[in-house]
Structures are given as C-alpha cells and as structure tokens.
Amino acid sequence: MSEPVAALILAAGRGTRFGLDPKLLAELDGRPLVRHAAEAALASRLRPVVAVLGAHAAGVRAALAGLDLALVENPDYAAGLSTSLRIGLSVLPRTSEAAVVLLGDMPRVSARTLDRLADAFAGAGHASAAVVPVHAGRRGNPVLLNLRRLGPALAGLTGDRGAGPLLAGRDDVMEIAGDDGCLYDVDTPEALAAPGSPPRD
C-alpha cells in the first residue's frame, strides 16, 4: 500500500435500541463489541487507527485499554453520527489519502476485508471517491472514503448520518465483494444472541 490509509472507528453512539446497558460494551466471544472492531483494524495494514468516543466514553476507553490506537472524545455525540465522523477525520494526519470507517457495533469485520478495501483503492489509482463492500446484493460496511475527493463534503455533514448520502448516485464508487461480516451489526440484544451471527473469518 503506497499511500496512507487510516482506520476510523466510530464508537460514540448511545445505542438506545440495545436497552439500558452500553451496547459497545456487550460481550461477544468474551470480548466487548468495540474491541472486536479495534482488534480487526490493528491487525490490518491501516494506520493510524483512531477511535471516536462519546456516550459511555469511560467504559469504551477501558474496553480498548492496552491497544495501540488513538482515542478522541466527541462532546457533541448526541447531535448524531456526523459529528463523530467529522471529529475523527479532523485528527487524522494530513498525509492520509483515505480513511476506512468502521462502526463499533460491527464485530465480525475482518482485517482481511480492511486490507482488501485499501488494496482496491490503491489499484484504482485514487480514481474512486469510495470503496464499499457488497454482499448478498447489499452495500455494507466498512467503507473507504477518499479524503481528497470527499473532504469538503464530509466536513459539511450534519445530523445523524454518515457518508451514505454523499455517495448515492455517484459513478466513482467502487464496489468489491464483501462477506457476512460486512452486513452484521448489533442493534439489539436479540441480534447479539442470534445463533446465525456470522463468525469472523
């Protein structure tokens, strides 16, 4: 990978659909959900790895203890996902050509998927505004964002939304084959307990 591609973990949400307990601290295979995402990022070639904290920041910080990543807190997390995306992107090195955005509640995303996103971006010679995984006919996560092409638009995002609206209808979004982990997120205790939850490859 000749150009720097960063990993940005969004872990600031309240997770209200999950119930009273902090969703990102719920355990799967003996580890908090958010730690799964962080470990996948660190096992990939993406650098730096940055996690954005907000709601339940102290607990999430503890769940990520000992990992070689940067932590930044978003005091405006209640205003929606866009605020976490903006603050996370703002702390990346100026040399970062792109960022792969991971959601802290998607514990089955693999390091291999992250590297494949970065490889596709490099192979396209920066021509793509984004690289997205597709599985079972659906676009999933994480998504690689070309910061040179999308930077100003990303900086202007507001509300509880990510980059999805910016990518809709563009003809410079590259799709690559994803897997079950790209579609599996945990919004409810039932989703966490579902016996069909995909294993990490």
Side-chain angles (χ1 to χ4, degrees):
M1 195 165 59
S2 60
E3 65 288 308
V5 178
L8 182 59
I9 304 168
L10 302 186
R14 291 174 288 184
T16 53
R17 291 175 55 192
F18 195 80
L20 297 178
D21 296 325
K23 174 175 67 173
L24 296 181
L25 304 182
E27 291 197 352
L28 179 67
D29 300 336
R31 303 193 309 286
L33 294 180
V34 69
R35 193 171 180 99
H36 283 270
E39 289 176 346
L42 290 169
S44 76
R45 299 193 306 277
L46 308 183
R47 291 297 183 275
V49 177
V50 176
V52 182
L53 315 184
H56 316 295
V60 173
R61 185 181 294 272
L64 298 176
L67 298 181
D68 186 20
L69 45 70
L71 303 176
V72 59
E73 290 201 29
N74 173 16
D76 298 322
Y77 65 87
L81 186 147
S82 67
T83 62
S84 293
L85 183 58
R86 292 202 317 268
I87 197 169
L89 293 174
S90 74
V91 303
L92 295 182
R94 294 178 62 87
T95 54
S96 295
E97 297 281 347
V100 176
V101 180
L102 297 88
L103 305 180
D105 64 353
M106 295 189 69
R108 296 307 196 194
V109 170
S110 69
R112 182 173 67 181
T113 293
L114 302 179
D115 285 338
R116 289 182 64 243
L117 289 166
D119 289 344
F121 176 66
H126 304 196
S128 299
V131 185
V132 301
V134 176
H135 184 67
R138 294 169 52 198
R139 284 184 174 182
N141 285 291
V143 172
L144 180 146
L145 303 175
N146 183 334
L147 302 181
R148 299 294 183 255
R149 289 201 174 198
L150 298 175
L154 291 167
L157 282 176
T158 59
D160 193 26
R161 60 178 184 162
L166 301 181
L167 305 183
R170 294 186 68 118
D171 60 5
D172 56 355
V173 175
M174 179 188 297
E175 296 182 343
I176 66 170
D179 57 25
D180 287 345
C182 297
L183 300 180
Y184 175 65
D185 63 344
V186 177
D187 285 330
T188 65
E190 292 75 21
L192 180 61
S197 60
R200 174 175 291 168
D201 57 7

